[in-house]
Amino acid sequence: MDGRDAGAGRTLCRRQRAMNTLLVSRHPEIMSGALCFAGTRVPVKNLFDYLEGSSSLEEFLQDFPTVSRERAVAVLEAARERLAADAPAA
């Protein structure tokens, strides 16, 4: 065991799922079921592709005006938190 409280971990997971539901959505008839920013047809993958390709967050937001800065940053933060939560302890 890594010392984390299992109950706290379950609460965090539920909170993340609730938050992620508001941030992103997936529907089989919208963008072939790709995970999109909620209320848009912009795949979340586009944000990561932009950043991986050395484009800035500003460029992404200019090219996809239906995605707010707050939502894009929240998706990045949720991804970071998920990676940290899933990382094995050294």
Side-chain angles (χ1 to χ4, degrees):
M1 190 77 155
D2 65 2
R4 290 186 295 178
D5 178 26
R10 283 191 298 273
T11 300
L12 177 61
C13 288
R14 281 194 301 271
R15 188 172 68 230
Q16 284 177 332
R17 279 195 302 270
M19 180 179 71
N20 291 344
T21 300
L22 300 173
L23 295 175
V24 297
S25 63
R26 183 186 312 252
H27 190 281
E29 295 181 14
I30 298 175
M31 301 300 292
S32 300
L35 188 65
C36 292
F37 287 92
T40 76
R41 298 177 70 83
V42 179
V44 171
K45 184 180 182 312
N46 288 7
L47 172 59
F48 290 97
D49 288 347
Y50 263 63
L51 297 175
E52 181 181 10
S54 74
S55 295
S56 68
L57 177 59
E58 292 303 320
E59 291 170 298
F60 172 80
L61 295 171
Q62 288 173 359
D63 289 347
F64 299 97
T66 58
V67 178
S68 70
R69 168 181 290 287
E70 293 77 19
R71 187 163 297 205
V73 169
V75 164
L76 292 171
E77 288 175 352
R80 178 185 52 81
E81 289 171 7
R82 180 63 186 259
L83 284 171
D86 290 347

